[in-house]
Amino acid sequence: MDGRTAARQPIEQDSPASGRLKPNALGVLGILFLVLSAQAPLTGIAGAVPLSVGLGDGPGVPAAYVAAGAVILLFSVGFVAMGRHVVDAGAFYTYIGRGLGRTCGAGSAAVAVFAYCTVQAAMYGLYGATVSGIVKEHTGAEVPWWIWALATMAVVQVLGATGIEMGAKVLAVFVLAEMSVLLAFGLVTLFRGGGPEGLGFAHSFSPGAALKGAPGVALMFAVASMFGFEATAIYGEEAREPHRTVPRATYLSIVVVTAFFAFTSWMVVSSYGASGATGAASKALAGGDGSAFVFAPIAERFGGWANDVLPVLLATSLFAGMLAFHNSANRYLFSLSREGLLPRSLRTLNRRHSPWVAGSVQTAVAVLLVVPFALTGKDPVLTLFSWFSGVAVLAMMLLYFLTSVSVIVFFRREQLDTRLWNTLIAPALGALGLAGAIWLILANLTTLIGGDRTTATWLALAVPVVLALGAGAAWIIRGRAR
């Protein structure tokens, strides 16, 4: 009996030996918090908005978030339609495999694991530097960033092994904390009529504002901020009534994230005024701390205490993201093991129905990715964070595109759903939008990673190489099995 057949058999819900993740463990809100934590709202605002405003289209950045949200929403229509017929922790791997063939699906699984592991490693770099800075400021002790990163990997491993419910609860606390501060700032700014030039709605959302400057750069960072919403399908096997819960969580997460980023970035721009926002962002970036562009107006509204609290919330935001990506990656490894493409031991579950062996392997990969940067003395923000977050975004956009194409092929062949909008038109429009996003990312990858053209080229080539290696390995394994 192969992994997929076994997955369809009736099981005892309290038996980890069944090879199934714990059913009925998550509702809509639980999945929503897992998605929001992966997108690390404060990290996205403090990290991406200064770059988008300073290097992109200035005060028109909020419109870029709306445009990115529209593309992702189109993609999600077909994504959700296919999710009604395919429920598996492999998500993209399973979706692409059902539409474009199992070999292509296996290649996409390798890209997904690559994306989740590299973005998590990137977060460890920024997290270690942030925590090291906080400790030094308040105690005077200079502890290397990598010590904090390695210690936190152990904490993430333990939390990941305690079960998805505990992870969702921990993430909910962190996400609510960071979003509450940003929303409070946004609402206060809104009700006070904005900054020195008012709210400036037209300066941020009009077509002219959206196309001003370098809109491609702003759209690239906006799309990158959406990274992680696809986790709704990854947790389908653990969701209550997945055919209802997953679609609702998917649409809700996209709407919430788009509205949050568009509104918060608008209020940040408004606090400076449309004419002063670009200069302020450029100054903060030139000073080496782009987050000051976001933190300064918040501290001005709420007082100096915000300067002490916001770095801590940035650290917890990163921790939430690292835990979320740990959970996503180990479920991919678990699913691939269940399909027979990885060693059988990776499908082992503990009493809490958590794939703890797969989680241990994922943690080991994180160590292998982070340690070389520590040994060579590289700056964790300028290299580890910048390089790996850039290549991870490129890898994930490729998966989105392949999934959109797979949805079209799958429904044209299977005829399980005859709604043209859901199975053809929206996925096709989403694929076109995603193709454009991939082109923008490739054209601006040097900017995205903060490196040179040679580094950007090698990182970009890594994605198709991983895709080919994954597909080739699957072809060999299945050939030997036959």
Side-chain angles (χ1 to χ4, degrees):
M1 181 181 295
D2 63 22
R4 288 186 301 172
T5 304
R8 298 190 187 102
Q9 302 303 312
I11 64 170
E12 296 294 330
Q13 291 189 4
D14 58 353
S15 173
S18 63
R20 294 272 289 179
L21 297 170
K22 187 176 182 180
N24 302 315
L26 295 170
V28 173
L29 290 180
I31 296 177
L32 177 63
F33 281 120
L34 286 165
V35 171
L36 292 178
S37 60
Q39 291 166 333
L42 182 57
T43 304
I45 291 294
V49 169
L51 290 166
S52 299
V53 174
L55 304 176
D57 54 357
V61 165
Y65 283 108
V66 174
V71 171
I72 298 300
L73 196 60
L74 286 170
F75 162 80
S76 69
V77 173
F79 183 68
V80 166
M82 195 162 186
R84 296 183 185 278
H85 304 279
V86 181
V87 178
D88 189 273
F92 285 145
Y93 156 63
T94 310
Y95 288 18
I96 295 171
R98 291 290 295 273
L100 302 181
R102 297 177 68 187
T103 300
C104 184
S108 69
V111 173
V113 173
F114 174 75
Y116 289 132
C117 288
T118 50
V119 75
Q120 188 201 40
M123 287 181 156
Y124 275 120
L126 182 56
Y127 172 86
T130 301
V131 174
S132 182
I134 293 172
V135 172
K136 181 180 179 180
E137 180 178 353
H138 292 284
T139 68
E142 294 191 19
V143 181
W145 66 270
W146 54 267
I147 290 181
W148 296 112
L150 293 176
T152 305
M153 287 180 194
V155 177
V156 168
Q157 170 65 26
V158 171
L159 283 175
T162 57
I164 198 64
E165 305 103 311
M166 178 60 70
K169 291 175 182 176
V170 171
L171 295 176
V173 173
F174 291 150
V175 169
L176 286 173
E178 60 185 290
M179 291 188 72
S180 295
V181 172
L182 292 172
L183 286 175
F185 161 75
L187 290 173
V188 169
T189 304
L190 177 67
F191 289 125
R192 289 187 177 181
E197 300 174 17
L199 292 174
F201 182 85
H203 291 293
S204 290
F205 292 101
S206 67
L211 297 175
K212 185 180 179 180
V217 174
L219 184 60
M220 174 187 66
F221 283 111
V223 171
S225 299
M226 301 289 173
F227 194 128
F229 87 92
E230 72 287 340
T232 54
I234 294 175
Y235 299 111
E237 193 171 307
E238 297 162 275
R240 291 189 290 272
E241 299 184 83
H243 295 297
R244 293 183 180 181
T245 302
V246 171
R248 291 174 182 174
T250 301
Y251 289 131
L252 183 61
S253 65
I254 295 170
V255 171
V256 168
V257 169
T258 301
F260 174 81
F261 277 103
F263 173 70
T264 305
S265 61
W266 174 32
M267 289 299 100
V268 170
V269 168
S270 176
S271 67
Y272 288 97
S275 63
T278 303
S282 300
K283 182 179 179 180
L285 293 171
D289 183 14
S291 63
F293 175 70
V294 175
F295 290 172
I298 296 177
E300 184 179 346
R301 289 290 188 192
F302 297 144
W305 62 267
N307 286 322
D308 295 323
V309 171
L310 287 171
V312 175
L313 288 179
L314 177 59
T316 60
S317 173
L318 289 162
F319 178 84
M322 293 182 301
L323 178 56
F325 286 121
H326 170 82
N327 287 330
S328 295
N330 66 29
R331 278 153 179 77
Y332 260 96
L333 295 174
F334 167 82
S335 180
L336 289 170
S337 173
R338 196 165 59 182
E339 291 281 344
L341 295 176
L342 288 177
R344 293 175 59 88
S345 59
L346 293 179
R347 75 186 75 173
T348 304
L349 302 176
N350 61 18
R351 291 185 177 183
R352 296 180 178 272
H353 292 256
S354 175
W356 71 275
V357 175
S360 299
V361 170
Q362 197 284 318
T363 299
V365 171
V367 173
L368 292 174
L369 290 174
V370 169
V371 166
F373 288 85
L375 293 177
T376 56
K378 296 289 187 181
D379 186 289
V381 178
L382 298 180
T383 57
L384 178 56
F385 176 73
S386 297
W387 295 1
F388 281 178
S389 58
V391 74
V393 170
L394 178 60
M396 193 53 64
M397 289 302 107
L398 175 61
L399 290 178
Y400 290 173
F401 175 78
L402 291 175
T403 301
S404 291
V405 175
S406 179
V407 167
I408 296 172
V409 174
F410 175 77
F411 283 113
R412 299 284 70 74
R413 183 177 64 233
E414 301 295 336
Q415 295 295 312
L416 294 172
D417 190 331
T418 57
R419 296 173 298 174
L420 286 179
W421 170 255
N422 297 69
T423 63
L424 178 60
I425 299 174
L429 293 174
L432 289 174
L434 291 165
I438 292 172
W439 180 83
L440 288 173
I441 291 171
L442 288 173
N444 298 280
L445 189 58
T446 303
T447 300
L448 182 60
I449 68 169
D452 54 61
R453 173 59 62 183
T454 301
T455 302
T457 300
W458 281 110
L459 289 173
L461 289 174
V463 177
V465 168
V466 169
L467 179 69
L469 289 175
W475 183 79
I476 293 172
I477 291 171
R478 289 188 176 119
R480 288 178 176 176
R482 287 193 296 268

